Each structure stands twice: as C-alpha cells, then as structure tokens.
Amino acid sequence: MREIYSWSIANAYPNPRVISPFLIGLSAVFNPAFYDATVKKNVANAVTPASECCHLPLSTALAKVQFRLQSVLFLSAVTMSAAIVQSRWSQGTVASKYDKLWQAGQLADEGVVPELRKLDLKARVIELATNQTITDVERLLAVRDLFEAAIDNLEVSTDAQAATMFADKVMARSDRFGFVERLRRSIPGLDAIVVYGSSISSDNFADYDLILVCEQPVAALRSLAGTSPVWNGKELNVGVYSRAELWRMQLLSGDNLSDYGVCLFGTVTVPYKPVTELL
C-alpha cells in the first residue's frame, strides 16, 4: 500500500484512495453494503469477510446491514443537538444528514427495514432539500425529527433492563457543576441533567458533556439555538431528548450510560444492555 501511495503521488495523483483486501474484509462488518457491492463486482479476489474471522454472531447479510443502519442513524442523530445549540453545521453537514436518511429510505424500499416504509423518508428528504423558505434552525429541527422518527420505528432486539439514575446531590452542588441551577431556571420542563465524559473523570478537561431530558425537547432546542452556553469558560455540549427519545437512543448505543454518567438533577431511566449485546 505504501508503494502504491508513493507511485500515485509521484505521478501527480494527489489524493489517492488505496484499499487493501484486508480493509475490504473489515468492511463486511463496518459497511456490509460496500463489501457486498465490491465482491459482486469482482473488484478483489479471495477476500475473507472479517465477520467470519471474528466469529461475530451475525447470522445473515441482512442482519449486518440492519446493524449498520442502526449505528448510522444513532451517530447521525446524536450530533443534531450540537448542530443546533453550538451552530456546528455547514451545508455539507446537512447534505450528509440527508444522505443518511436517504439510505434508510432506500433500505426500507428494498425490504431490509420494512418498518420504516411508512415514514416515506426519501420523499421527506426531497421536500426538505428543496424548501428554501424555512430558517436554518427549523431545517435542522426537521432533520432531527426525521432521525428520531426513524429510530422510534426501528425494530431493535434487546435484552436490556431498566436502570434508574438518581441525582448525586454532592456533585450537583460542587463548583464544577454550578451551571445546574442556571439550566433549571432557563429551560422549562427540564426533567433531568446527566453529565458524562472527562468533566467527571479528570481534573483537566476541555468542556462539559451533558444530556438534558426535557418534556418538550424541540422547544428547549429552539430556546438554546445558537447560544453556545459556557460555564467557567468551558463549553456545555448538550444533547437534548425527551425521556422516550433518550431510551430509544440508548438502546442503539454501544455502552451503558448508567455506567459512566452522573445524574446532577432529577431522575432518568435508561436501558442497561448485557455485555454480550454491547460486543
């Protein structure tokens, strides 16, 4: 691969894409649609899918594509709050979100995830992409709604148990998390605040990672849009969800929030998934 890169650069190919058979094998797990298309077109010979090497419990190609879609939808949805609150988005960001929703719609049409057909995601994407009358914030909120609707309708098999997180009053009163009262006063219908990441695990941290559980998450996001809240000079990176949205999102996450998060205010119940399912 190094030799091919060197040859490409020497011959004025400034941005080569070199993919080895081993990487194609890995894509059987991480992007099964790409793997299947590559193998069908005989692009690479004698490629062993990584799912066989790792003995992953994915019985069919269909199951692999479904797991991939769940991951794509989850990772796309969790960034929507930051796009709205911190204005972390560009036209490319929005186009990428449209693309993920379009993929979900295409897989629904092909019968891979038939439970999403009723959402008519491809038509909704076209409608949004061609609508030039709505504001940027309303467009982002509409995209968020589509992701949440898709996740809500996904059929997810899980043995998760319910784990309730209660407020840690000692941590909530510390100077480090003095923003709790400000958030409680400024966000109507705030049910719970959960903090996670380096702000609870290290003395040196760059920002705060928060989950705000609200009765009306869309209204909360509208009030927070573009504000980029900070505390003691450090940014508050907030994810905003209803109780039901947080539960569904956590069903698709690769970890258990109750293992590493701390509740600073209120109570919230999240799924606790067994280790075998996380793997």
Side-chain angles (χ1 to χ4, degrees):
M1 289 178 68
R2 283 196 299 269
E3 290 174 358
I4 294 173
Y5 273 115
S6 298
W7 177 87
S8 299
I9 294 171
N11 286 274
Y13 294 100
N15 194 22
R17 293 288 188 270
V18 183
I19 302 175
S20 70
F22 176 72
L23 289 179
I24 293 176
L26 286 179
S27 74
V29 173
F30 296 105
N31 196 335
F34 173 78
Y35 173 81
D36 292 341
T38 303
V39 172
K40 285 177 182 177
K41 291 182 179 296
N42 296 317
V43 173
N45 297 320
V47 174
T48 302
S51 52
E52 292 183 10
C53 300
C54 303
H55 305 290
L56 292 175
L58 304 178
S59 58
T60 66
L62 182 65
K64 287 186 285 185
V65 175
Q66 289 170 338
F67 276 125
R68 164 73 178 173
L69 178 62
Q70 290 175 12
S71 177
V72 166
L73 291 177
F74 170 79
L75 292 172
S76 296
V78 296
T79 60
M80 291 308 303
S81 290
I84 296 167
V85 177
Q86 273 86 18
S87 298
R88 290 181 186 164
W89 67 278
S90 65
Q91 293 300 326
T93 304
V94 176
S96 175
K97 303 299 184 186
Y98 287 158
D99 184 54
K100 302 300 189 299
L101 291 167
W102 187 275
Q103 290 176 34
Q106 184 65 35
L107 290 174
D109 292 344
E110 294 172 358
V112 177
V113 280
E115 63 269 28
L116 298 188
R117 280 179 182 156
K118 60 185 177 182
L119 298 178
D120 203 7
L121 289 172
K122 289 161 69 174
R124 299 287 297 278
V125 168
I126 292 174
E127 179 184 347
L128 262 180
T130 56
N131 187 341
Q132 302 303 314
T133 63
I134 60 175
T135 66
D136 293 335
V137 170
E138 291 304 315
R139 186 182 305 279
L140 292 170
L141 287 171
V143 170
R144 176 193 183 275
D145 285 348
L146 287 179
F147 278 116
E148 293 297 339
I151 290 171
D152 185 27
N153 283 276
L154 277 178
E155 294 180 2
V156 181
S157 176
T158 177
D159 295 323
Q161 304 295 314
T164 300
M165 302 176 68
F166 298 92
D168 186 320
K169 295 181 180 179
V170 174
M171 292 193 72
R173 291 171 182 164
S174 69
D175 293 338
R176 177 174 294 197
F177 304 110
F179 53 77
V180 171
E181 285 304 316
R182 188 180 75 181
L183 291 176
R184 289 180 62 182
R185 290 193 302 268
S186 62
I187 301 176
L190 182 62
D191 287 336
I193 301 173
V194 176
V195 63
Y196 61 95
S198 57
S199 66
I200 60 173
S201 61
S202 174
D203 288 333
N204 298 310
F205 57 96
D207 51 21
Y208 293 92
D209 295 310
L210 304 174
I211 291 174
L212 307 181
V213 185
C214 305
E215 293 177 4
Q216 296 181 317
V218 172
L221 283 166
R222 282 198 180 101
S223 68
L224 290 168
T227 60
S228 299
V230 297
W231 177 256
N232 286 341
K234 296 183 178 182
E235 196 170 41
L236 304 182
N237 296 315
V238 299
V240 183
Y241 307 98
S242 68
R243 291 184 181 275
E245 288 172 347
L246 181 61
W247 176 273
R248 293 191 299 263
M249 293 284 285
Q250 286 298 308
L251 283 179
L252 298 181
S253 73
D255 47 33
N256 288 315
L257 181 62
S258 58
D259 280 341
Y260 62 91
V262 174
C263 187
L264 298 177
F265 163 70
T267 63
V268 62
T269 300
V270 293
Y272 192 89
K273 304 173 288 293
V275 172
T276 52
E277 187 165 316
L278 294 180
L279 293 174

